[in-house]
Amino acid sequence: MADNDAGYVIAWPGTDTFQAHKPSIHPSDRSGDHMNYDLRRTGARVIAAARGPHHRMLIDAEWAGASSGKVFDVLNPATGGIIATVPQGAGAEVDAAVYAARAAFAGWRRTTPEQRSRALTAVADAIETEAQDIATVAAQETGNALRTQCVPEVAQAAAFARYFAGTAAELKGTTTPISSDVLNYTLREPLGVVAAVIPWNTPVALAALKISMALCTGNTIVLKAAEDAPLATLHLAEIFRRHTPAGVVNVLTGFGPECGAMLVNHPDVDKLSFTGSTAVGKEIMKDASQRLLPVSLELGGKNPAIVFPDSDSADVARGVLAGMRFGRQGQSCTAGSRLFVHEDVFESFVEKLVEVTRELHVGDPLDDSTDMGSLINGKQYERVRQFVIEAVTSGAKLRLGSTPEAADGSKGYFMSPVVLTDVDPTWRVAREEIFGPVLVVIPWRDWDAVVDMANDSHYGLAAYVWCRDGSLALRTAHAIDSGWVQINRGLGQLPGMTYGGFKESGLGAECSSEAAIAAYTRGKTVTVGL
């Protein structure tokens, strides 16, 4: 969308004025007068022509600014430079988006599974076609490396859309034989308007996941993009806009208190889906309890990885490195940041781990040679830095990396991998989610003891077991209190696997047909006298 595309200033009933940008005719329009059609349907009126920045919110198939006229900058964390400005949405925009989603729900819920499947398949095709552009924008706004993180993330987004295209046909009921004079059967119905909030670390995949799960089950959605990384999400919004009717998908930009909180507390929202910190997730669940709303929460993690004596190899070290999510600077809720290595191979394995991790190239996210990019912002950089300082001051040994210096934002928020040993399992660095490239390595001797250490956490999201003895590996996986345990694998989620956390790592699940149907539909029983 070019900067000089024509736009409109629209007045919405009961709200202040804001700009709405319409770069193209929506493909669902057959009226020949798209703007008048949309204005009649929503009750808005055009009051002036306008031009404005091309990064806007998506509300009812229109590109909109904030009624207040406020915008905020999106920064490149690798350079400190401004990439773009986006609207600072608040209550008026939340209202408009939710009302648009509500109006669109009546029609979308009546679409056939085939229609929803075709729409999501078209979205998947478009994501693949525009993958390089989306990945480049994601690398610029998140600081994640293009080759190792952003390109695979966009591929995952397309895979999610394509997988959930198939889920549309899986909303099946059951027939229960009660008696000969009664027909008793069940239906699965969509919930209505979904409010979704995503974080900045994997915005493309999470946006595609939440939108696809909502749409395949017949719901409409209002999604708040991450304020630090909204641009690639807005690119996805444009793709969904092209392939779904107006109002089915709406994407807002803004800050948590004035946009996100307004969205999750909106009285016309029927379902909440949140990925982010445990602290915010608890507040969302508290608010939802006042209206008994169904909630899906994917929250934090301090995930254990266990290496058995039979797995002292460079390949396993690379797997641990992948599970630690060093390719995302450790900024992942599934990072295996608590590594337990058996005493018999402790020194040998740590040497291998340090050797393979040292090979990672930290640098410009857009450079194909880069393995690790920049942390998201100065606040996060300083938080991670203080964890390392505290651990080293307490007696931890730096086996790789050094105590990070204070950051100069104009040079980016780059931090090399840090591997710490001589760490007490009770220290903060071994118990709290750091969300940075800091791995602690702790020795273990007895199986019962390492399982106890792995489970000694208020989190329970992911875990990793590295063991060649299949029986022992499975016994260990079954004993760990985490929603997702990988054996001899350190990679990410796959479409079709049910993914969700235990304890303070979340509520509900995602990524599979079963999870989508459970979280985004309700069951109804119909009993007919014969």
Side-chain angles (χ1 to χ4, degrees), residues 36-103:
N36 288 337
Y37 168 80
D38 275 347
L39 296 180
R40 286 196 303 272
R41 186 166 67 79
T42 61
R45 60 188 174 88
V46 175
I47 61 175
R51 297 181 184 276
H54 63 282
H55 294 294
R56 304 285 187 132
M57 296 176 286
L58 180 65
I59 301 177
D60 204 15
E62 300 293 336
W63 293 107
S67 60
S68 64
K70 293 181 180 179
V71 297
F72 62 94
D73 295 331
V74 180
L75 303 180
N76 183 333
T79 66
I82 297 173
I83 307 171
T85 60
V86 295
Q88 190 173 324
E93 293 70 57
V94 171
D95 281 343
V98 173
Y99 295 154
R102 173 60 61 198

Side-chain angles (χ1 to χ4, degrees), residues 13 147 194 239 425 462 502 527:
R147 174 180 56 83
V194 175
I239 292 175
F502 296 168
T527 305

Side-chain angles (χ1 to χ4, degrees), residues 252-266:
L252 301 175
T253 57
F255 298 113
E258 60 190 22
C259 187
M262 293 290 290
L263 176 59
V264 300
N265 285 289
H266 198 284

Side-chain angles (χ1 to χ4, degrees), residues 341-411:
V341 179
H342 195 274
E343 288 179 357
D344 289 350
V345 296
F346 186 85
E347 285 300 327
S348 174
F349 188 81
V350 169
E351 288 177 5
K352 293 180 178 67
L353 178 64
V354 167
E355 182 178 351
V356 298
T357 306
R358 187 180 281 124
E359 296 173 357
L360 295 176
H361 175 221
V362 180
D364 179 2
L366 296 179
D367 190 324
D368 279 344
S369 68
T370 295
D371 300 301
M372 285 179 60
S374 164
L375 272 68
I376 188 66
N377 55 37
K379 179 180 178 181
Q380 183 63 18
Y381 179 95
E382 185 59 26
R383 181 177 185 274
V384 177
R385 176 174 174 264
Q386 290 302 321
F387 267 102
V388 178
I389 291 173
E390 179 183 308
V392 172
T393 301
S394 299
K397 183 177 180 181
L398 280 162
R399 300 297 290 263
L400 179 65
S402 58
T403 303
E405 298 180 356
D408 177 354
S410 65
K411 297 179 180 178

Side-chain angles (χ1 to χ4, degrees), residues 302-317:
K302 187 67 175 180
N303 308 293
I306 303 174
V307 175
F308 281 80
D310 64 2
S311 297
D312 180 21
S313 71
D315 284 343
V316 171

